[in-house]
Amino acid sequence: MRNFTAIYQREIKSYFSSPIAYVVIGLFLALSGLFFYLIVSNFVQMCMRYDMQAQYYQMAPPKLNVNMMAIRPILHNMSLFALFFLPLVTMRLYSDEKRSGTIELLMTSPVTNLQAILGKFMAAAALFLVMLAGTFLFIIFLFFYGKPEVGPILTGYLGLFLLGLSYISFGVFFSTLTDNQIIAAVSTFVFILFFWAIGWVSGFVSQSLGELFSHFSLIEHFDDFAKGVLDTKHLIYYLSFIFMGLFLSFVSIESARWRGR
Amino acid sequence: MIDVQQVSRYFGDVIAVRDVSFHVEKGEIVGFLGPNAAGKTTTMRILTTYLPATSGTAKVAGFDVHENSMQVRRRIGYLPENPPLYQEMRVRDYLDFVAKIKGVAPVDRKKAIVDVMGKTAIDKVENRVIKTLSKGFKQRVGIAQALVHNPDVLILDEPTVGLDPNQIIEVRELIKSLAGNHTIILSTHILPEVSMTCQRVVIINKGSIVAQDSTDSLTKKHAGGRRFTVCTDAPFEAVREKLTAIPAVDRVEINREGHEYTTLVVESKDHDVRPEIARTIIENHWPLYEIKSEGVSLEDVFLDLTTSEEGAAS
Ligand SMILES: Nc1ncnc2c1ncn2[C@@H]1O[C@H](COP(=O)(O)OP(=O)(O)OP(=O)(O)O)[C@@H](O)[C@H]1O
Ligand SMILES: [Mg+2]
């Protein structure tokens, strides 16, 4: 536990003593904020239009659901921004240790690989949590104007967090493969994008294949969360995805040791 | 303290270390000497559990580096070829981190860090960010890192590389002062370093050990005996002919032929041939300016061992 904490703390400090944390958090919030504004103002206009039509036809105005019409697209947008930014958060975790030679210190200290991997993974997860907490402020803003339901919002955020952890676990894995941070980031990005894209193509192939594809798609599993539906099926999917990334990181580090990389 | 039995390590087809066996007693300082690509770093990485050996066994403080690697890691301090520094950290924070992962108890940590910064003379830069330090200071922080948990065994891969002459002397003194309490292995390709700091030397070339002995007896045993410089004033060929006639003399070579002095190098396997040289020169009525005994240096031993190995291999 002490080793885990030491590594976790060092990574956190390292994030915040370089520009990376500030840049990533700042850009993520700026982009999310911009899209939040666009989506919400669009939603408000739509509400007004419906109100006017209702008055014109002398009917009761329809009830529009904030959760479905505003929060769900916002969450989907953020899941995309996370795809752009999280590889930048994870790219240095192992690559930098390999490049600078500090991996020799880490791997000759009485620290197990599991402790090191989890320390690094959790540090990136904590940074992601900070990013999400920032966007939560936008959501609070909605409560001044409408009556969104709290439960579905929290479910949506849980889904977003799990999705981010999936990116991060494979980010750690790709960073164990190379001492080049750019390569680590790009391969993480492409890999995750692939697991998004198999969801898109599922509509173009035969039905059974399409079902298989969408079963593996990272984003298909997210939509229920974004709608506010909590389903253990999706929970298990994300947890296994995360486990897989961490497990592969472990295997990669051990095998690199044998090969002498 | 350290026991290595027939350790080999392959990288694909490349044999980096081949059947290496050696033993280091508690409190000894052993020098690991060899040219580039000899396999020094690879051997040290095996001892520090960084690399597994392809075959053979290595034990540090009684623990097998493979089976009990965590026990070994607790007991070693390791300075790799490139000091393993987190460039963006401050010296003190860095040492604190290392102390934590090396398992120094929280109550002892502060004292351990202050002590080691004193020993390596880096207390003045304790709040500097590591990347702003000069190479020599970085190297010292690297040494401090290896010492902070007061390990039984110290493994130092080229500890004086990149230091200025004064710092080199300081680091050597530091290493010597650590002997006794610590068992030390250091690698280098600087020969005087070994004769100055180490009691014993292991010479390694192309992955194999070519000699291991105390520094003194190694210089006595090798490099073909003794060597003398003779300064006289006579035609070279004539002097050579007469000196080669002395039974104990093996070889005579010209060093410098001036119009006044002729300097020769005379080699003999195991005899002090100075009296015979003097007699021969006087008998031939040549002037004798000087006869000097040249001690055999580790340099000669090294060249002898590593080049003869090369000759045998080709
Ligand atoms: N990770 C690796 N992958 C492939 N080959 C390696 C690896 N590490 C070392 N080697 C090879 O093993 C041999 C021994 O290398 P090693 O680094 O142990 O030499 P060295 O004695 O430390 O040399 P130097 O004095 O230059 O530091 C070299 O031929 C080297 O190319
Ligand atoms: Mg080396």
Side-chain angles (χ1 to χ4, degrees):
Chain A
M1 192 61 196
R2 185 173 58 193
N3 290 334
F4 163 80
T5 322
I7 286 168
Y8 170 80
Q9 283 172 345
R10 202 203 69 73
E11 292 294 346
I12 292 279
K13 268 191 206 151
S14 154
Y15 277 134
F16 286 97
S17 64
S18 74
I20 184 111
Y22 304 102
V23 170
V24 165
I25 293 174
L27 288 179
F28 182 77
L29 289 184
L31 268 178
S32 304
L34 176 67
F35 278 79
F36 175 82
Y37 172 76
L38 294 176
I39 287 167
V40 168
S41 59
N42 189 25
F43 177 72
V44 169
Q45 272 175 9
M46 202 156 65
C47 288
M48 283 177 8
R49 216 169 30 241
Y50 277 130
D51 271 0
M52 264 152 58
Q53 279 175 3
Q55 269 178 11
Y56 184 79
Y57 293 112
Q58 311 241 312
M59 294 185 327
K63 276 216 173 312
L64 296 177
N65 186 332
V66 195
N67 285 77
M68 284 304 272
M69 308 278 298
I71 293 177
R72 183 177 160 208
I74 290 169
L75 287 170
H76 271 286
N77 272 307
M78 290 199 295
S79 74
L80 183 67
F81 302 147
L83 169 61
F84 289 123
F85 290 115
L86 288 180
L88 302 177
V89 169
T90 55
M91 64 181 182
R92 43 169 288 285
L93 287 174
Y94 272 95
S95 302
D96 203 39
E97 304 248 12
K98 286 175 164 235
R99 191 193 45 78
S100 69
T102 47
I103 190 89
E104 280 197 70
L105 167 64
L106 205 57
M107 304 273 289
T108 58
S109 298
V111 175
T112 63
N113 286 338
L114 189 65
Q115 290 165 339
I117 291 172
L118 288 182
K120 285 165 182 290
F121 173 76
M122 289 299 184
L127 188 69
F128 183 49
L129 213 52
V130 173
M131 288 156 67
L132 290 187
T135 64
F136 218 76
L137 298 177
F138 305 149
I139 303 286
I140 290 175
F141 187 74
L142 282 181
F143 283 85
F144 293 118
Y145 291 89
K147 288 195 196 64
E149 288 176 68
V150 181
I153 296 181
L154 292 180
T155 312
Y157 265 88
L158 174 67
L160 193 54
F161 186 57
L162 287 172
L163 185 67
L165 293 188
S166 311
Y167 301 170
I168 291 172
S169 78
F170 273 87
V172 174
F173 169 62
F174 282 106
S175 145
T176 63
L177 293 181
T178 168
D179 60 4
N180 183 318
Q181 298 190 21
I182 307 293
I183 293 177
V186 171
S187 17
T188 309
F189 178 77
V190 170
F191 177 84
I192 300 291
L193 196 63
F194 174 80
F195 272 86
W196 268 53
I198 55 175
W200 301 334
V201 298
S202 61
F204 302 104
V205 291
S206 73
Q207 203 197 346
S208 55
L209 203 60
E211 266 171 24
L212 188 73
F213 278 6
S214 60
H215 178 69
F216 279 106
S217 163
L218 270 168
I219 204 64
E220 291 291 315
H221 291 273
F222 178 60
D223 195 44
D224 273 349
F225 282 105
K227 283 189 223 158
V229 181
L230 189 60
D231 187 337
T232 41
K233 180 176 75 184
H234 305 313
L235 216 57
I236 289 170
Y237 169 81
Y238 282 127
L239 291 180
S240 7
F241 204 93
I242 295 165
F243 174 80
M244 208 52 211
L246 296 179
F247 176 72
L248 287 178
S249 311
F250 184 82
V251 171
S252 151
I253 292 170
E254 282 293 317
S255 92
R257 196 170 151 251
W258 284 93
R259 280 178 294 125
R261 290 285 146 74
Chain B
M1 206 60 176
I2 297 173
D3 193 36
V4 177
Q5 295 284 340
Q6 299 196 311
V7 161
S8 301
R9 170 74 212 207
Y10 293 68
F11 290 106
D13 293 338
V14 180
I15 307 179
V17 172
R18 185 193 335 227
D19 271 343
V20 161
S21 304
F22 63 94
H23 188 84
V24 182
E25 292 297 331
K26 192 172 190 315
E28 253 189 321
I29 308 188
V30 170
F32 232 63
L33 187 62
N36 284 132
K40 304 182 294 291
T41 300
T42 305
T43 311
M44 293 185 143
R45 283 178 165 175
I46 290 169
L47 286 177
T48 56
T49 77
Y50 182 69
L51 267 183
T54 310
S55 63
T57 58
K59 281 190 177 158
V60 175
F63 294 100
D64 188 282
V65 292
H66 188 61
E67 258 118 55
N68 283 310
S69 71
M70 288 298 152
Q71 296 296 335
V72 172
R73 290 177 184 197
R74 267 187 204 110
R75 288 167 178 79
I76 53 160
Y78 175 38
L79 172 68
E81 224 162 9
N82 304 308
L85 305 173
Y86 292 103
Q87 301 287 343
E88 77 285 352
M89 286 179 102
R90 291 174 197 282
V91 172
R92 201 192 177 96
D93 294 342
Y94 170 72
L95 291 175
D96 191 57
F97 170 71
V98 177
K100 273 186 203 157
I101 61 170
K102 294 286 182 181
V104 178
V107 283
D108 304 329
R109 209 145 60 210
K110 199 165 177 187
K111 186 175 178 305
I113 293 167
V114 171
D115 280 358
V116 82
M117 287 197 300
K119 266 188 200 162
T120 50
I122 52 172
D123 24 19
K124 292 213 173 55
V125 297
E126 62 171 311
N127 287 319
R128 290 266 294 274
V129 174
I130 292 177
K131 71 176 162 210
T132 67
L133 296 177
S134 70
K135 179 131 167 59
F137 270 85
K138 283 182 184 159
Q139 189 72 10
R140 289 182 197 210
V141 177
I143 297 174
Q145 161 276 131
L147 279 172
V148 70
H149 55 306
N150 197 25
D152 294 340
V153 176
L154 267 177
I155 296 181
L156 309 172
D157 201 348
E158 305 191 18
T160 57
V161 121
L163 302 180
D164 69 33
N166 281 328
Q167 292 179 332
I168 288 180
I169 293 168
E170 279 172 31
V171 167
R172 283 180 191 156
E173 290 304 318
L174 172 67
I175 292 171
K176 270 199 259 184
S177 74
L178 295 171
N181 297 325
H182 307 264
T183 307
I184 304 175
I185 298 191
L186 64 88
S187 81
T188 176
H189 29 224
I190 311 167
L191 294 140
E193 184 146 294
V194 176
S195 25
M196 268 181 259
T197 43
C198 304
Q199 294 137 3
R200 230 151 52 78
V201 54
V202 174
I203 298 182
I204 178 167
N205 188 34
K206 296 193 167 168
S208 305
I209 292 182
V210 288
Q212 53 176 321
D213 211 334
S214 75
T215 358
D216 295 339
S217 74
L218 203 63
T219 42
K220 280 202 192 99
K221 270 193 219 155
H222 284 275
R226 315 189 55 164
R227 221 187 244 183
F228 307 94
T229 315
V230 180
C231 189
T232 176
D233 180 10
F236 170 65
E237 282 307 326
V239 191
R240 175 152 81 172
E241 192 186 317
K242 296 286 181 201
L243 289 183
T244 323
I246 302 171
V249 167
D250 297 325
R251 213 148 62 104
V252 178
E253 267 171 38
I254 184 149
N255 200 342
R256 185 176 70 109
E257 195 170 20
H259 65 282
E260 246 166 70
Y261 303 110
T262 305
T263 316
L264 306 138
V265 177
V266 180
E267 280 183 21
S268 161
K269 259 249 133 25
D270 40 18
H271 276 82
D272 189 348
V273 287
R274 277 178 290 186
E276 285 89 341
I277 295 172
R279 196 173 310 124
T280 313
I281 289 178
I282 301 296
E283 276 170 5
N284 287 285
H285 307 287
W286 295 317
L288 177 62
Y289 297 113
E290 189 180 16
I291 305 183
K292 201 164 66 191
S293 169
E294 306 281 355
V296 176
S297 70
L298 208 49
E299 202 124 27
D300 300 312
V301 180
F302 181 69
L303 281 177
D304 193 45
L305 287 165
T306 53
T307 49
S308 64
E309 173 79 359
E310 217 156 329
S314 59

